[in-house]
Each structure stands twice: as C-alpha cells, then as structure tokens.
Amino acid sequence: MDKQKFYLITALWIILILYTQTKSQITGTIKNQYGLQITEAQVTFINLQDRTKTYTTTTNDSGFFTANFPLLEESPENKSHFLAPYPNPNRGNVIIPFYKADENRLKIEIYNLIGQKVRTINYTEKSKGYRQVRWQGQNYRGELVSAGVYIAVLSNGEFRDYKKLTILSNEQELIHKIDPERIVEEQTNQIKYDIFIETPSGATHTISRKKFIIEEDYEFVINIDYSVPFSTSNNYLNIFNGWEYKPVFINGVNLGVSIPGTQPGQLAASRDQYRRWIERIGEIGINSIRVYTLHYPRFYEELQAYNEDHPGEPIYLFQGVWLNEGVPDKNLYNLTEDFDNSIEEVIDCCHGNRTIEHRYGEAYGEYSTDVSNWIMGYILGREIHPNEIITTDSLNSTVNNYSGKYASIAKCSPSEAWLVERIDYAIEYEKIYYQTERPISISSWPTLDPMEHPTEPDEYSSEDITSVDLAEINVSNAEAGYFASYHAYPYYPDFINQDPNYQEFEDKWGPNSYLGYLNDLKKHYNDFPLIIAEYGVPSSWGNAHFSHSGMHHGDRTEIEQGQDNIRLLNNIYDSKCGGGMLFSWINEWFKQAWITNPFSNPINRHLWHNVTSPEQNYGLIKFVEEELDFQTWVPENSEGNIQQVLADYDSKYFYLSLKIPAFSEGDTIWIGFDTYDSELGESVLPNGKKIEKRAEFALEIPYSDTSYFYVTEAYDLFGIYHYTFSPEQKLRSIPTDNAPWKLVRWKTNRFEDSIHKIGKIRNKLINQEQSNQDGVRFYEDRTIVRIPWSLLQFTDPTQREVMHDDRATPERETKISDGIAVTISYQNDILTTQRYKWNTWEIAPEVIPKEKKSMSIFQNGLEDLSKKINIHQ
C-alpha cells in the first residue's frame, strides 16, 4: 500500500502543566486505537497565544517522541480556565474549580473515553472570579457512572479547556468545598497548545472520538481514534451500533420552518413548535429530518432533548449547507470562500462550538449543543441552475480534475471539480477539528442528472442541456463515504413522464414512469447510495404538471396526497434507493409557483394562503383560522326562492352562504361575481340572464358533484405564463355584452393537451365526506360556496389588489378593488347584492396548526413499509 498522509489538528486543547521554569521537556507516545505504536509521525506543538511559535519532533521506531518548549508564562487572568480538580482521583464526588474571566455563561461537559457525553453542567452566574462546581459522578439520567477516566470540558462557545477526572470507584463519598485561597495557590501559569500530527496512513485507525490521555505530568499517550458513526455501502447508509455497521432505509422529512406571515430567512419557528414537531415526527415513524440551512440554536437543543429521551429510536439529522443564489457572474468558483466559510460554520455549530453574532436573514446565537452524534450526513448546496453550470464550465475550461486528501475526481467538468473540492474541504475540516466524519453529498436534481433524455429536445427546453455527474468520485480515503442526493418528483421534468422506456414501468397501483426514472438513476449511481432528498405531491387546488402515474403536481385532495406520498416512498425502496425525505412537514405560505407567479404579487405572498398554488401546499400540517362568523349581506326574507345571503372571508377564500330551501336535484344556481369596478365586466350570465351589475366570473352550481367556474373572455388568463393567449384575452376586465364565457383553465407543462381545468369545482352533497378541495358544500338548509382568492384573480387579497393588465406594457398592472358584489340567479329569481368590502391586513392572521388527512395515511403506510423493509433489508 502506498503511504499517504492525513492531517489532524486537535479540537482538544491539551493543557501541559509544568511547576518550574526549568522543566520543559515533554515525552510521549503515539498509538492507534489497537495499542500499536505509530512510527515516523511528525508532531508539532503550536502555541495558542502566538501561533508563529511551533515546536516539532518525530516519533521513533517505538512511536516515542521528545520535545522541548516552554510550558509556562505569566498567568493570563483575562482567560477562563480550569484549575486542579479535587480530589482527583476520587470516588465519585469531585470539586471542579475554574477561573471565570468574563460575564459570559460557561458550561462544563463530562465525556467518557469513547467520546460519549455523560453530563452537562451549566454555570449561569455572570460575575467574574474563581468559581467551582461539584460533579457527583452521575450521568444526565441521575445514574452513577462506572469507574474510569473522564474528560471535563470547560467552554463558552469561543474556547475550550480540558481536565482529566479519574473515578476509582463510584461510592459517592462526602467531600467538603475547597478553600478559594487554595484555588489561587494551585493556579499554574500554563500555556495551551494545539497539536498538529502528520502520520503515515498505513497506521490502522478507526472511528470514535479523538482522545488524548495524559498518563503522567510530562509523558502522555496520544491515541489516534476517529469517530465514524455512519457510513455508506452500495445501496444504504449504515449506522455503527458499537459492534458493526447496520444498514438503514431513510424515511425522512424536510423541515421548513416558514410559519405563516414569515419569510424563510426569519426561521421563525419557536422552541415549542420545534418540540411538538419533533415529537410528532418521531411518533409517526419518521427516522430523520433534513434541514436546508443552519437553524437557530433552539432547534438543535430540542433535537438533542428528544434524542436523549429516546436513545433507542433517535431522529437523525441531514444537515444542509446552503449555497447562496446570488452567484457572481454565474461562476461557482466566485463563491468558493463564501461557501467554505458556510461549511465551517455549519460543522462548528453542529458540534456545539460556535457563537454567531446577530445578523439578518440567517440564524445566529450561541451554539453550545453538540448534535453530531445524530448527524447522519451533510448535504451541500441546492438545486444549481443549468446556466450556472454552463457558465462555470466555460470560464474555467482548463480545470478537468480534482485530487484531494479524501475526495478526488478525474476527467470531469470544472463544475464537478469544484463540487468535489467542497466535499473534500468539508470532510477535512471535520476530521481536523472534530476527529470525525460522516457521509456527505451534493444536492442535485433531474435537470442536472447525467442521463440523456431524447424526449427533452434542447430547442425548447433547458431541462437536459447540461449535467453534473459525480458517479466517478473517488472517496476511498473517506471512511464515511459519499451518497448521491436528488430532488425527484413524479411530474417534473417532463421527460420523467414522456420517456417511453420509463412508461413501461408500473407498480401495484398502476403505470408509473417515476419508478422507471428512479431505476435508471440508481443504475447510474450503482456504487453509492441514492437518497431522494425531496419527493412528494401537494394538496393544492391547482396543478402545474401532469404525471404519467396520476401523481400530479397538485389537484390532489389530502387523502390522495397521503396515498401518493406513501406510494412514492415504496417506489424509492423498490428501486433500491437508500431512502427518501418527504417534502414537506408544514405548508409554507411564502413559496412561489411558476404557474401562479404571473398573477401573484410577491410582496405580501407570505400573509395569505394561496390554496391553488402547488408550492404552498406540500405539508402534512396546514394552518387554519378560527371558525367563520358570516356577516349578513342580504337579510333573511321568506319571499322568493333566495331567502338570505351571508358573506365572509379569510386568508384563503371568499365565502358565500346561501339560503335557498327549494334547491334540489335537477336545479341550478348561477352566481355572477363582480370583483372590481361595476362599469367593467360582462352583462349577461352564461345562462342568458341579463344582470344589473356586470361580472368578471360566473359559477354554475348544479345539484351534483361538480360545479363550473367561468371567466369572461377578456379577463381569461389561460396561457399567461407561456404567452400563448389570444388577442381577445386582454388580461383585464372590459365592459362587454353577450361576449363568450370561458371555463377557468390553466395551461401546464408545454404540450397542447396539458390543460388543467381548475374551473371544475368539487361539490359535496349532504352526508358526503368533505374535502380540502370542496368549493361548494350542500347542507339541508344552506349552500356554502368558497372560491380561492387566486381564482378570483386577486393578486394580493391583503390589499384588495386584482389583476388589471395593460398588454401594451411589459409590466403586470393591477388595480385596487372596491369590493365584491354578486348576482344570484335561481329559477326565475335574481338577487343582486351591494359591494362587500373587507379590511386590508398587514400581518398574517392568527392560525392554528392542524394535521391534514394525509398525515394518518402516511403514518399507516410507514408501518406497512417497515415490515417490508425488515423482510428484505
């Protein structure tokens, strides 16, 4: 085996104490975890007060070294540090004294020699001075620890100091408080050093927390002992159980935390919300969480608390490192320093070892909670856009390989080289500073997959014009390994549904081109686990892409959403992928969708819920408002067939409550909606009835399972995203008489027949189970109608803003509505209301989280899938 070298800078500060200035020789031995001496290892001591001062020596054939350098200086009382514990050794009861140099909070963590944390002692008193705490030999459960050697770590997020504690037998002997004057007398003028070790890679080393054992005052043994709690094989990620690695199928969930009324950069979820979400995630059988970026410390604290309470079934974490979207000149190499800093920051925070000052749009705070024991993998980056890859490759064309210490790739594109370098950097950083590593990946998506897709010609699509292929990455020096990570949905891009080879696949539910795509992708990444880091379907009214399998990009009820999601996870398992992470845990109102963007104002999008937008409705949890309090619009009157009209609104819908007792099978109610400006709109309803007030929309309600929602020809937005609208479509309301009405439709995908008839409204008859997509609900004495704001073409209902475009300009113009008036036509009766005008709002309404019907369906599906996995894995 060729000798290679790996580098290690210890995160553990070894405190070297000498009692006289004349003694400056340090001797020691370097061994591996099996007790074998490591020869020809270069050992460098780096003075932490002045890093330009280094002292280097080399081990001999017995792994022995000597070094001569100063160990003492004048006591710097401006730095917090440990003093000598007393008594030490002890019998399970020890005083741990320390000097506190500032008013920051401190904590003392106790570790055993295999790197497991057994206790945390928080010291919250702010005043400076000599202080002490007592450890009575108990772990965090209050149980007595066994006899042995333990390491005490004093830290405040910016520094660490260490002391060895030896418990001879845990007998809880009574000791008295140490005299403060004695503490001062025992204080030593110590210098702290980092130790930099360069050792031949032929030395056997494995996985566990790096530990330094000081065996005598001036002679100590350094055990090279890495921690690799998780690894990869061809198909799965593996968990080390203390004896061996066991494969695990990932059934995870993406945890976005943009609660209603907030933007993603606010990361506004509270500690209580995190606690309830994590608890529920564990209850339904999800075994891992993925986050895209660093969260506030409270998330990691709550995850630790849950996992310590559930040691047998913890929830693992896939931690993301976000790649900024503002790429200078679209050249990824211009983000190198920024992204590497983000990698360092995330790794430090996950190990509970960084304090971040206040900043806007990103998390900050004191990260003192070490959750690294549960981090199964890092996923670097985001969905990179094709033009970023193409530009990066063009501007760095001479780069065709990368050779790193832990990750390498040959004959590659410049973008691939840059990404592999980031993987190498992350592995090296964690090994240097925390003596551990874990599986790592780069976030990708089908748009950049390495396969050819002939149904996606370049002349009208950018979904297959370039690729990123890391299948040839060499991570033989990285023990934890690499896994491929893709966001893959059953409806996008189009080639997943159009490829005839994929269309040949089916599962027990029916035809399924998605299963074909997953098999193709896994075949390419045959040597590595393939994790589908995003999958799922939304429970939105609107559909943005059709799927060959019927699992569309929307137009799915909550029940259908649950059924589709568990079907997708079964597809992921059946294609030999290593697992999937459902998108997502909660609905997020801030999200945009291409199909609604042309008639949606982004400024206040997070303040109301667009139930037609696929991107806002992926969650297993939705947010609902209090019960409606319908306002009387037309007072009750027994004369005529239309006896009363009530109205209300919330962040999702405009509501009508109609009292029409005679309404029954064979009858039809027509409603015209005048959404703005009574001088604009059509004067004749689709049933031929002339109305007093014009209308932009008309709703046909038969006593059946479907109603029909129409828009005037001028105000029809069909094809607005694709710019395929006709000259008659003005994209604004105009006064017309007897002009055509159009069923409200959305043009999806790119194909002529890709039309979502969103104007076909679902009805629910008496005693039928209600759905989140019901637009009309029949009761014995009432008919309730609810129309999403987006179907009424309110671009921002918080400000009563409606679509009113001038096609002669490149901008999208809007207008402020003066309220909604309706005209109701039933049999021979016509009733016209005044305008209903609601108060605008500047903050999101108060909402209550509520589980969708998809939650229990998904939970039951996980139970069934787990039985299947236990049989076959």
Side-chain angles (χ1 to χ4, degrees), residues 34-315:
Y34 301 113
L36 301 176
Q37 290 85 3
I38 299 178
T39 64
E40 300 180 11
Q42 183 173 289
V43 184
T44 302
F45 293 81
I46 305 171
N47 188 311
L48 293 182
Q49 283 73 38
D50 184 354
R51 286 186 173 271
T52 63
K53 297 177 181 178
T54 61
Y55 309 90
T56 302
T57 185
T58 304
T59 59
N60 61 19
D61 292 342
S62 300
F64 180 82
F65 70 86
T66 62
N68 293 279
F69 53 87
L71 300 176
L72 301 181
E73 65 180 7
E74 293 186 5
S75 178
E77 290 195 356
N78 62 334
K79 293 188 177 181
S80 300
H81 56 272
F82 270 136
L83 305 174
Y86 176 81
N88 194 29
N90 60 82
R91 288 184 170 82
N93 207 330
V94 59
I95 292 292
I96 307 174
F98 54 93
Y99 176 73
K100 191 170 182 294
D102 53 40
E103 294 186 352
N104 293 330
R105 294 183 299 169
L106 295 173
K107 67 176 179 179
I108 296 172
E109 297 168 299
I110 311 296
Y111 292 86
N112 60 25
L113 285 187
I114 62 172
Q116 296 173 323
K117 186 193 298 184
V118 298
R119 189 64 184 255
T120 298
I121 305 170
N122 292 302
Y123 191 84
T124 58
E125 183 180 331
K126 290 187 175 182
S127 58
K128 298 186 294 185
Y130 294 98
R131 301 288 181 263
Q132 61 190 26
V133 297
R134 182 195 301 271
W135 180 45
Q136 294 180 298
Q138 296 176 332
N139 63 19
Y140 67 88
R141 296 189 187 92
E143 302 163 343
L144 298 180
V145 300
S146 60
V149 176
Y150 294 82
I151 303 297
V153 182
L154 177 74
S155 68
N156 75 346
E158 298 180 349
F159 76 92
R160 291 188 174 193
D161 199 1
Y162 301 81
K163 280 293 182 183
K164 180 178 72 172
L165 307 174
T166 302
I167 297 180
L168 299 176
S169 62
N170 206 336
E171 300 174 357
Q172 289 287 312
E173 67 173 6
L174 179 65
I175 63 173
H176 300 286
K177 287 187 177 181
I178 193 167
D179 187 338
E181 293 184 3
R182 181 175 178 180
I183 295 179
V184 178
E185 292 172 359
E186 291 189 355
Q187 180 182 340
T188 57
N189 302 335
Q190 58 201 19
I191 301 176
K192 297 177 183 178
Y193 289 86
D194 269 351
I195 301 180
F196 183 94
I197 303 172
E198 180 182 337
T199 116
S201 63
T204 306
H205 59 280
T206 99
I207 314 227
S208 205
R209 185 178 296 274
K210 174 80 172 94
K211 50 186 180 288
F212 286 79
I213 305 174
I214 302 177
E215 297 189 335
E216 296 181 14
D217 286 339
Y218 316 117
E219 180 176 350
F220 55 91
V221 176
I222 301 175
N223 289 318
I224 306 297
D225 193 10
Y226 287 110
S227 172
V228 182
F230 310 100
S231 68
T232 60
S233 54
N234 284 16
N235 290 339
Y236 297 106
L237 276 70
N238 310 302
I239 300 175
F240 189 67
N241 63 9
W243 298 272
E244 61 181 338
Y245 284 103
K246 299 291 288 184
V248 60
F249 181 77
I250 301 302
N251 60 81
V253 66
N254 287 274
L255 185 64
V257 294
S258 296
I259 57 177
T262 68
Q263 298 285 3
Q266 294 177 255
L267 294 157
S270 68
R271 180 179 298 276
D272 182 61
Q273 285 171 318
Y274 276 128
R275 183 181 302 117
R276 286 187 281 109
W277 291 345
I278 294 172
E279 185 76 31
R280 187 65 178 125
I281 286 170
E283 285 176 353
I284 71 171
I286 291 174
N287 63 16
S288 54
I289 291 172
R290 179 200 178 191
V291 295
Y292 298 85
T293 188
L294 187 68
H295 284 221
Y296 280 104
R298 55 183 177 266
F299 165 67
Y300 303 97
E301 292 162 3
E302 290 303 322
L303 181 65
Q304 179 194 53
Y306 175 88
N307 284 340
E308 288 179 347
D309 287 342
H310 301 80
E313 293 183 322
I315 295 175

Side-chain angles (χ1 to χ4, degrees), residues 364-613:
Y364 58 88
E366 180 182 348
Y367 292 83
S368 56
T369 300
D370 185 352
V371 295
S372 59
N373 286 340
W374 303 293
I375 296 181
M376 190 173 284
Y378 294 117
I379 300 179
L380 309 182
R382 54 166 168 82
E383 295 175 345
I384 300 176
H385 302 296
N387 59 355
E388 294 172 334
I389 297 297
I390 292 171
T391 303
T392 298
D393 292 347
S394 174
L395 295 177
N396 303 277
S397 57
T398 60
V399 181
N400 56 21
N401 70 84
Y402 173 77
S403 180
K405 297 174 186 176
Y406 304 104
S408 303
I409 190 168
K411 297 180 180 179
C412 65
S413 71
S415 296
E416 292 161 353
W418 186 83
L419 292 169
V420 172
E421 185 177 7
R422 307 284 69 74
I423 290 174
D424 187 61
Y425 187 85
I427 295 173
E428 180 177 16
Y429 185 84
E430 192 170 31
K431 290 192 75 166
I432 285 175
Y433 289 101
Y434 301 101
Q435 296 74 58
T436 184
E437 62 174 282
R438 62 209 67 246
I440 195 165
S441 185
I442 294 291
S443 184
S444 194
W445 55 326
T447 296
L448 295 182
D449 74 25
M451 292 95 72
E452 293 292 330
H453 301 289
T455 63
E456 201 78 20
D458 295 349
E459 58 265 24
Y460 61 83
S461 171
S462 61
E463 301 295 352
D464 196 39
I465 57 176
T466 188
S467 67
V468 168
D469 187 0
L470 300 189
E472 299 302 320
I473 187 174
N474 182 346
V475 288
S476 57
N477 291 334
E479 295 183 70
Y482 162 84
F483 64 96
S485 169
Y486 275 77
H487 301 173
Y489 295 88
Y491 36 73
Y492 175 81
D494 291 318
F495 58 69
I496 290 179
N497 299 288
Q498 297 298 319
D499 192 307
N501 294 321
Y502 297 161
Q503 290 181 355
E504 292 180 2
F505 283 79
E506 62 180 30
D507 57 18
K508 68 179 182 180
W509 293 277
N512 194 341
S513 61
Y514 181 69
L515 182 59
Y517 176 74
L518 292 183
N519 274 272
D520 197 14
L521 189 61
K522 175 55 187 168
K523 182 179 179 180
H524 186 85
Y525 284 99
N526 189 52
D527 296 333
F528 302 102
L530 171 60
I531 303 298
I532 306 305
E534 281 188 17
Y535 74 92
V537 300
S539 62
S540 59
W541 283 46
N543 171 22
H545 290 89
F546 284 95
S547 168
H548 171 262
S549 64
M551 297 182 285
H552 305 311
H553 192 187
D555 191 24
R556 310 299 283 164
T557 66
E558 292 175 3
I559 291 175
E560 291 167 335
Q561 179 191 42
Q563 294 167 341
D564 289 350
N565 284 344
I566 203 63
R567 179 185 181 185
L568 291 171
L569 189 57
N570 273 273
N571 295 159
I572 290 167
Y573 176 74
D574 291 340
S575 58
K576 294 184 172 55
C577 293
M581 302 180 201
L582 180 68
F583 186 85
S584 62
W585 184 244
I586 64 171
N587 282 349
E588 294 185 289
W589 294 5
F590 83 92
K591 284 186 173 293
Q592 60 173 317
W594 67 270
I595 201 160
T596 57
N597 279 350
F599 53 98
S600 175
N601 188 333
I603 295 177
N604 292 324
R605 187 165 51 219
H606 60 297
L607 302 181
W608 65 285
H609 183 198
N610 188 348
V611 296
T612 71
S613 170

